[in-house]
Amino acid sequence: MKMCGVCEITPSEIAQTITVINNGCMSKHCQITGARPGFGKNVSHSHRRTNRRWNVNVHKKKYYVPSLGRTITINVSARGIKTIDKMGIEAAVALMRQRGEKF
Protein backbone atom coordinates (compact mmCIF):
# COMPACT_ATOMS: atom_id res chain seq x y z
CA MET A 1 0.00 0.00 0.00
CA LYS A 2 1.46 3.33 -1.05
CA MET A 3 0.94 6.55 0.87
CA CYS A 4 0.51 8.57 -2.30
CA GLY A 5 1.28 8.29 -6.00
CA VAL A 6 4.46 10.36 -5.71
CA CYS A 7 6.34 8.75 -2.81
CA GLU A 8 7.23 5.10 -2.45
CA ILE A 9 6.97 4.88 1.36
CA THR A 10 4.77 2.27 3.02
CA PRO A 11 3.20 2.70 6.47
CA SER A 12 5.51 0.04 7.95
CA GLU A 13 8.57 1.96 6.71
CA ILE A 14 7.21 5.12 8.32
CA ALA A 15 6.74 3.27 11.64
CA GLN A 16 10.32 1.98 11.49
CA THR A 17 11.62 5.47 10.77
CA ILE A 18 9.67 6.95 13.68
CA THR A 19 11.02 4.22 15.99
CA VAL A 20 14.60 5.00 14.95
CA ILE A 21 14.05 8.73 15.45
CA ASN A 22 12.45 8.24 18.90
CA ASN A 23 15.23 5.94 20.10
CA GLY A 24 17.74 8.72 19.50
CA CYS A 25 15.64 11.47 21.07
CA MET A 26 16.82 13.78 23.80
CA SER A 27 14.40 13.45 26.66
CA LYS A 28 14.64 14.85 30.17
CA HIS A 29 15.94 11.72 31.86
CA CYS A 30 19.21 10.70 33.49
CA GLN A 31 21.12 7.95 31.69
CA ILE A 32 22.80 6.83 34.93
CA THR A 33 20.04 6.83 37.56
CA GLY A 34 17.09 6.57 35.17
CA ALA A 35 15.33 9.50 36.87
CA ARG A 36 12.42 10.81 34.80
CA PRO A 37 10.12 13.84 35.21
CA GLY A 38 7.30 13.67 37.75
CA PHE A 39 3.80 14.77 36.80
CA GLY A 40 1.07 16.21 38.97
CA LYS A 41 -1.19 19.18 39.51
CA ASN A 42 -0.81 22.75 40.68
CA VAL A 43 -3.54 23.56 43.17
CA SER A 44 -4.48 27.22 43.47
CA HIS A 45 -6.05 28.91 46.47
CA SER A 46 -9.48 28.30 44.92
CA HIS A 47 -8.47 24.64 44.36
CA ARG A 48 -8.40 24.88 40.59
CA ARG A 49 -6.09 22.17 39.34
CA THR A 50 -3.73 22.60 36.39
CA ASN A 51 -1.21 20.13 35.06
CA ARG A 52 2.46 20.60 35.86
CA ARG A 53 5.73 18.77 35.53
CA TRP A 54 8.70 18.43 37.90
CA ASN A 55 11.75 18.19 35.64
CA VAL A 56 14.92 16.36 36.58
CA ASN A 57 18.09 18.45 36.97
CA VAL A 58 19.69 17.01 33.81
CA HIS A 59 22.92 18.25 32.24
CA LYS A 60 24.80 17.17 29.14
CA LYS A 61 28.24 16.14 30.36
CA LYS A 62 31.35 14.76 28.67
CA TYR A 63 33.48 12.01 30.21
CA TYR A 64 36.65 10.40 28.87
CA VAL A 65 36.40 6.60 28.99
CA PRO A 66 39.85 4.96 28.84
CA SER A 67 38.53 1.53 27.81
CA LEU A 68 36.78 3.06 24.78
CA GLY A 69 39.63 5.45 24.10
CA ARG A 70 37.23 8.32 23.47
CA THR A 71 35.01 10.91 25.09
CA ILE A 72 31.31 10.16 25.56
CA THR A 73 28.52 12.68 26.07
CA ILE A 74 25.68 11.65 28.36
CA ASN A 75 22.61 13.28 29.88
CA VAL A 76 23.14 13.00 33.61
CA SER A 77 21.42 14.42 36.69
CA ALA A 78 23.17 15.95 39.67
CA ARG A 79 22.75 12.69 41.60
CA GLY A 80 24.05 10.80 38.54
CA ILE A 81 27.24 12.90 38.56
CA LYS A 82 27.78 11.98 42.22
CA THR A 83 27.17 8.32 41.37
CA ILE A 84 29.80 8.44 38.61
CA ASP A 85 32.25 10.11 41.00
CA LYS A 86 31.65 7.35 43.55
CA MET A 87 31.71 4.24 41.33
CA GLY A 88 33.85 5.48 38.43
CA ILE A 89 33.04 6.07 34.78
CA GLU A 90 34.01 2.52 33.73
CA ALA A 91 31.43 0.92 36.05
CA ALA A 92 28.81 3.47 35.02
CA VAL A 93 29.41 2.73 31.32
CA ALA A 94 29.12 -1.01 32.06
CA LEU A 95 25.71 -0.43 33.70
CA MET A 96 24.57 1.68 30.77
CA ARG A 97 25.58 -1.06 28.33
CA GLN A 98 23.60 -3.66 30.31
CA ARG A 99 20.48 -1.48 30.01
CA GLY A 100 21.12 -0.86 26.31
CA GLU A 101 21.66 2.90 26.65
CA LYS A 102 23.37 4.67 23.78
CA PHE A 103 26.20 7.11 24.40
Side-chain angles (χ1 to χ4, degrees):
M1 178 177 134
K2 304 290 184 210
M3 292 300 290
C4 65
V6 178
C7 62
E8 300 292 323
I9 299 173
T10 62
S12 63
E13 291 172 343
I14 291 173
Q16 290 172 352
T17 305
I18 290 171
T19 304
V20 170
I21 291 170
N22 287 342
N23 285 344
C25 72
M26 304 225 343
S27 60
K28 283 278 197 180
H29 82 279
C30 177
Q31 290 181 287
I32 300 297
T33 62
R36 292 188 177 273
F39 295 90
K41 304 277 188 185
N42 272 339
V43 182
S44 69
H45 179 70
S46 65
H47 291 283
R48 282 183 168 245
R49 295 168 193 272
T50 56
N51 294 332
R52 69 157 294 177
R53 175 177 165 151
W54 285 269
N55 285 326
V56 181
N57 185 16
V58 174
H59 302 278
K60 190 177 274 193
K61 196 147 168 62
K62 289 184 179 183
Y63 287 98
Y64 178 75
V65 183
S67 64
L68 298 175
R70 66 183 179 96
T71 302
I72 62 169
T73 303
I74 57 175
N75 290 325
V76 63
S77 65
R79 187 170 54 164
I81 292 171
K82 292 176 187 176
T83 303
I84 291 173
D85 289 344
K86 185 176 181 180
M87 66 191 305
I89 188 65
E90 295 289 345
V93 167
L95 285 174
M96 288 172 55
R97 280 192 172 164
Q98 282 179 346
R99 283 195 307 244
E101 291 271 351
K102 292 185 178 182
F103 46 86

